[in-house]
Amino acid sequence: MKYLVILFLLFVHLSARQNKQELTIGAGPYLQSEPYKGVSTLVLPSPVIFFDNAVVYARWSRFGVYFLGDKKEDYSWGFSLTVQPRTLGYKASDSHYLNGMNDRDSTLEGGLAFSAQYKDSTYIEIMLLSDLLKKYNSWASQVEIGDRFKAGNFTFYPSVIILYQPRKFVDYYYGVKSSEARRNRPAYSPDGGFEFGVQTYIKYPLTKKLSAFFNMRADRIPNSAYNSPLVNNKFIYSGLASVMYTFEY
């Protein structure tokens, strides 16, 4: 992930226009509950970057390059190539129940994204992503619709998310191969399915340039994943807490 951040910041510098650009950077702990039996919550340090100059963009830990789009006074839209991490999976050593399983790894996804926004508030984003590291060796898609609200000094960015995860995706992260089966862990090969999520970003200014930034999210995994003998929770909960610094250059 750090190499993606370095490359992005270099690209930002090279693509900057003559007018000033606003860049927001920060870092903080990212937490994600695991649906697998006996597996502890994932805790990772996470960079947080927000930037968009109509050429390149960053949205937390996802980066992209526009190749088609337009921006008017009331709305904007764009097609881009994008890349993001997929934090899911486990090591066989993570719990006693997973002993004898092959590890399932997180990966890096990349593909095509379309985004549109109205009056810097309501937005929609559609992504079709492929597994770049050939872990689940397939693709996944996502639709997100959100808005922006202010309450006092707080700014909220709630959204709803629908993800389609095909059979290869669900089978890789939730399936049990015949060679991995045990008496209390039967072989299981699930179908694809839909995952539904809700989340909100929360921003609170601390000074003119510093702000506190939070993310809270809950995802309901597909039924075919929940029926896996590896799983004991329908929901994945995740969140981030960060201090952000915004500056112009």
Side-chain angles (χ1 to χ4, degrees):
M1 175 57 65
K2 65 179 180 181
Y3 300 110
L4 285 176
V5 172
I6 293 170
L7 286 172
F8 174 77
L9 293 176
L10 177 61
F11 201 174
V12 166
H13 176 72
L14 294 175
S15 64
R17 300 173 178 178
Q18 292 183 351
N19 57 309
K20 289 186 176 181
Q21 302 294 325
E22 188 175 90
L23 175 64
T24 300
I25 59 175
Y30 171 75
L31 290 82
Q32 178 181 295
S33 69
E34 299 289 357
Y36 307 107
K37 293 179 178 177
V39 178
S40 301
T41 297
L42 175 70
V43 182
L44 291 173
S46 174
V48 185
I49 304 175
F50 287 96
F51 177 82
D52 194 327
N53 69 350
V55 179
V56 299
Y57 64 83
R59 295 165 189 164
W60 187 350
S61 58
R62 183 165 70 87
F63 308 101
V65 181
Y66 292 108
F67 63 87
L68 183 65
D70 194 12
K71 186 172 184 178
K72 302 294 186 182
E73 184 177 348
D74 288 341
Y75 69 90
S76 62
W77 62 271
F79 286 93
S80 64
L81 299 176
T82 191
V83 62
Q84 69 172 19
R86 168 74 66 176
T87 53
L88 188 61
Y90 56 82
K91 294 185 181 299
S93 59
D94 284 347
S95 80
H96 176 74
Y97 187 81
L98 295 174
N99 285 342
M101 296 290 298
N102 295 324
D103 294 347
R104 303 299 199 265
D105 299 324
S106 296
T107 189
L108 192 67
E109 298 173 329
L112 180 67
F114 169 79
S115 58
Q117 189 169 25
Y118 179 67
K119 290 188 175 180
D120 292 327
S121 182
T122 305
Y123 68 90
I124 183 171
E125 188 162 50
I126 303 169
M127 295 193 294
L128 182 63
L129 303 170
S130 177
D131 176 14
L132 299 180
L133 301 184
K134 305 299 182 183
K135 299 299 182 180
Y136 63 84
N137 202 26
S138 185
W139 56 273
S141 59
Q142 175 177 312
V143 177
E144 181 176 0
I145 301 173
D147 210 333
R148 182 184 66 175
F149 300 96
K150 289 188 71 68
N153 290 328
F154 288 91
T155 305
F156 297 87
Y157 302 84
S159 64
V160 295
I161 305 163
I162 302 175
L163 306 95
Y164 179 73
Q165 299 167 346
R167 188 192 65 80
K168 283 188 176 181
F169 181 106
V170 182
D171 191 41
Y172 178 75
Y173 285 113
Y174 301 103
V176 180
K177 300 175 183 177
S178 298
S179 59
E180 299 170 325
R182 300 290 186 270
R183 182 166 52 184
N184 66 336
R185 190 176 65 212
Y188 183 68
S189 183
D191 293 325
F194 288 93
E195 180 171 309
F196 300 94
V198 293
Q199 75 168 346
T200 187
Y201 296 102
I202 305 171
K203 187 176 180 181
Y204 182 83
L206 301 174
T207 67
K208 185 175 180 180
K209 293 188 176 182
L210 285 176
S211 59
F213 178 80
F214 305 94
N215 171 265
M216 295 181 292
R217 176 168 172 169
D219 288 80
R220 187 187 187 281
I221 64 176
N223 286 333
S224 55
Y226 180 64
N227 291 332
S228 168
L230 305 178
V231 171
N232 65 354
N233 198 327
K234 285 185 178 181
F235 292 90
I236 297 174
Y237 301 100
S238 60
L240 171 87
S242 174
V243 175
M244 309 287 287
Y245 179 74
T246 301
F247 62 95
E248 293 184 339
Y249 68 96

